[in-house]
Amino acid sequence: CNAMETLLVHQAVAARVLPPLAAIYRDKGVELRGDAATRELLGGDVLEASEDDWFAEYNAPILAIRIVDSLEAAIEHINHYGSQHTDSIITENFSDARRFLTEVDSS
């Protein structure tokens, strides 16, 4: 399967981290799909993500991006749509990292 199918980004850092990440993905030929907030931030070449995109394992250079407003929303998304395999968090907050490890059922 592909290395990453879905990227969840907290709204507090989305404007800072998504544009440079999207530029790298675009340069590598990755098709970007996103929720409304992501599309508004990154522009018209980001396709609208469908409900199926959140479940997808693409086996192709495609990435679905969703901007979330909380750790709770991210955990809920992962537990609903995820494959329970290979989920991770990038955070500077130790408590959030521990909570993620406790509440996300993933390898």
Side-chain angles (χ1 to χ4, degrees):
C1 64
N2 205 11
M4 179 170 51
E5 283 84 17
T6 302
L7 175 63
L8 304 176
V9 179
H10 192 281
Q11 67 184 9
V13 298
R16 181 170 46 95
V17 301
L18 278 180
L21 283 175
I24 293 167
Y25 285 124
R26 287 172 174 133
D27 287 346
K28 300 293 182 183
V30 176
E31 178 182 303
L32 301 177
R33 301 177 187 183
D35 66 344
T38 300
R39 294 177 74 226
E40 183 177 325
L41 178 64
L42 297 180
D45 68 326
V46 177
L47 302 176
E48 182 176 354
S50 70
E51 183 74 6
D52 289 340
D53 284 312
W54 307 122
F55 289 105
E57 289 191 34
Y58 297 113
N59 295 315
I62 301 171
L63 178 64
I65 304 170
R66 174 171 273 170
I67 295 174
V68 295
D69 62 2
S70 66
L71 177 61
E72 293 80 14
I75 290 171
E76 181 179 308
H77 178 99
I78 293 166
N79 287 336
H80 180 77
Y81 295 106
S83 63
Q84 297 178 321
H85 189 277
T86 322
D87 297 295
S88 62
I89 184 172
I90 299 172
T91 183
E92 295 176 342
N93 184 303
F94 180 77
S95 296
D96 286 350
R98 298 279 299 170
R99 183 170 174 206
F100 182 88
L101 292 173
T102 301
E103 296 183 25
V104 172
D105 182 14
S106 181
S107 298

